Amino acid sequence: MITGKSKVIVIDRCYHGSVDETFATLDETGNTVAREGNIGAPVSLSETTRVVEFNNLAAMEAALKHSDVAAILMEPAMTNVGIVLPESGYLESVGELAKKYGVVWIIDETHTISVGAGGMTALHNLKPDFLTIGKAIGGGIPTGTFGMTTEIAAAIAKKIDREVIDTGGIGGTLAGNALSLAAMRATLSEVLTETAFVKMIELGDRWSDGVAAVINECNLPWHVNRLGARSEYMFLNRAPRTGAEAASVGDFELEQYLHLRLLNDGFLLTPFHNMALMSPYTTESDVDAHTEAFRKMCVELTS
Ligand SMILES: Cc1ncc(COP(=O)(O)O)c(C=O)c1O
């Protein structure tokens, strides 16, 4: 609406919730196509979306040069295909490219808030035009929110006629409801505090160190990726650079086994990936008990 452009750039293998236009990938010839399982897209994704690989600035600039792009929507670190961290300077350069081409830069901090209060945007002093976040900031109460610069807010306001604001696609019956707002206030002021983050990140490191030591001891070609209070191991012997690379080492059967095996020892992993997220109530002994169970499993797997 603000830019008059029709397309959004997303990162290959991204996830931003059930948004048809972002469930896109590149086919072998580099065309934007719907991802396997995206069965509801109302129009061909080549009309709405351009896909680029994470950590690839040349591809980002090439996509922007088409001059049909309204916005870049991205997580500052990929989290939904396993963790893929940005290379040094990548995020700052994406921000500069967005400015250069007059494109709105949207950062999705829904998961990357695990690095600390303010997420990666604060950690790297990034200056996106928009920021979206949800889930964790409501402490279990369904919620989501988005922030924007005053310039963007003014550009939107200029196009909104208050008498017909309800037809603008903003809001909905429960938007801004008191329960969600109270949950966000309580979570941000009393649960996800800076003090809690210090402890959660220390525990995240303890979890990663334990898992990495076992991987090393058992000589497994696996790697632990860290994102503050969140950690995850992947079936690749180094950190992946792109979503496609992370996706290519997924092993559904092995994951099913690991999850069931650890569940038998009392550890419920996320339903996909091999991810752990420390809470303000996680203890060192919880982490060490996981390391021991993980060790037992890896020794069994490799002997
Ligand atoms: C990065 C990211 N953004 C947004 C969402 C929110 O999606 P939804 O509201 O559909 O749960 C998710 C959900 O997992 C997510 O991983």
Side-chain angles (χ1 to χ4, degrees):
M1 179 187 75
I2 301 169
T3 64
K5 305 279 171 66
S6 61
K7 288 188 180 154
V8 58
I9 288 181
V10 297
I11 302 293
D12 192 27
R13 294 280 149 188
C14 68
Y15 182 74
H16 297 283
S18 302
V19 184
D20 294 328
E21 290 81 1
T22 65
F23 270 126
T25 189
L26 297 169
D27 68 11
E28 303 86 56
T29 50
N31 295 317
T32 296
V33 292
R35 259 180 48 194
E36 221 174 295
N38 183 0
I39 53 174
V43 293
S44 161
L45 266 60
S46 61
E47 289 181 37
T48 59
T49 313
R50 289 194 180 278
V51 180
V52 299
E53 276 188 334
F54 198 59
N55 279 324
N56 188 333
L57 288 168
M60 182 63 80
E61 183 147 23
L64 288 165
K65 278 191 174 152
H66 285 279
S67 70
D68 54 1
V69 173
I72 301 167
L73 169 63
M74 63 190 291
E75 289 187 283
M78 300 188 76
T79 62
N80 283 288
V81 66
I83 295 168
V84 185
L85 297 173
E87 287 172 354
S88 168
Y90 171 69
L91 297 171
E92 292 79 357
S93 299
V94 171
E96 282 161 21
L97 283 174
K99 252 200 191 67
K100 177 173 168 191
Y101 288 90
V103 163
V104 176
W105 187 27
I106 311 168
I107 289 189
D108 183 345
E109 287 275 8
T110 303
H111 284 215
T112 43
I113 184 76
S114 64
V115 300
M120 287 182 80
T121 301
L123 190 66
H124 294 278
N125 195 25
L126 305 174
K127 304 279 179 219
D129 302 291
F130 264 105
L131 186 147
T132 68
I133 190 162
K135 223 175 302 224
I137 60 164
I141 298 295
T143 190
T145 188
F146 51 92
M148 66 197 86
T149 61
T150 44
E151 290 79 16
I152 295 282
I156 294 173
K158 231 195 268 174
K159 305 238 179 191
I160 292 179
D161 181 349
R162 293 186 71 83
E163 282 183 15
V164 286
I165 199 168
D166 58 334
T167 56
I170 305 170
T173 308
L174 297 176
N177 75 82
L179 176 61
S180 290
L181 291 173
M184 282 193 266
R185 181 181 293 278
T187 305
L188 293 175
S189 59
E190 292 173 41
V191 185
L192 290 181
T193 59
E194 304 224 352
T195 321
F197 265 112
V198 170
K199 185 183 155 213
M200 292 190 296
I201 292 170
E202 272 170 17
L203 289 173
D205 278 335
R206 190 182 182 95
W207 191 93
S208 298
D209 290 344
V211 169
V214 172
I215 288 173
N216 196 32
E217 177 192 334
C218 295
N219 210 13
L220 285 160
W222 298 354
H223 182 79
V224 189
N225 299 298
R226 307 172 187 223
L227 199 58
R230 172 179 175 141
S231 299
E232 173 158 357
Y233 53 94
M234 230 180 242
F235 310 131
L236 175 70
N237 59 8
R238 58 183 166 74
R241 210 180 150 254
T242 64
E245 194 175 26
S248 72
V249 296
D251 186 331
F252 183 73
E253 212 175 4
L254 180 56
E255 277 184 9
Q256 296 280 296
Y257 169 76
L258 299 178
H259 290 202
L260 186 57
R261 177 70 186 77
L262 287 170
L263 186 58
N264 284 338
D265 272 348
F267 295 93
L268 179 60
L269 293 180
T270 46
F272 28 72
H273 310 308
N274 313 302
M275 193 269 280
L277 180 61
M278 304 304 137
S279 87
Y281 296 97
T282 310
T283 63
E284 287 187 355
S285 55
D286 292 334
V287 170
D288 295 346
H290 169 269
T291 307
E292 198 36 51
F294 180 71
R295 187 176 178 281
K296 224 165 68 185
M297 177 183 73
C298 291
V299 168
E300 279 170 19
L301 266 178
T302 51
S303 55

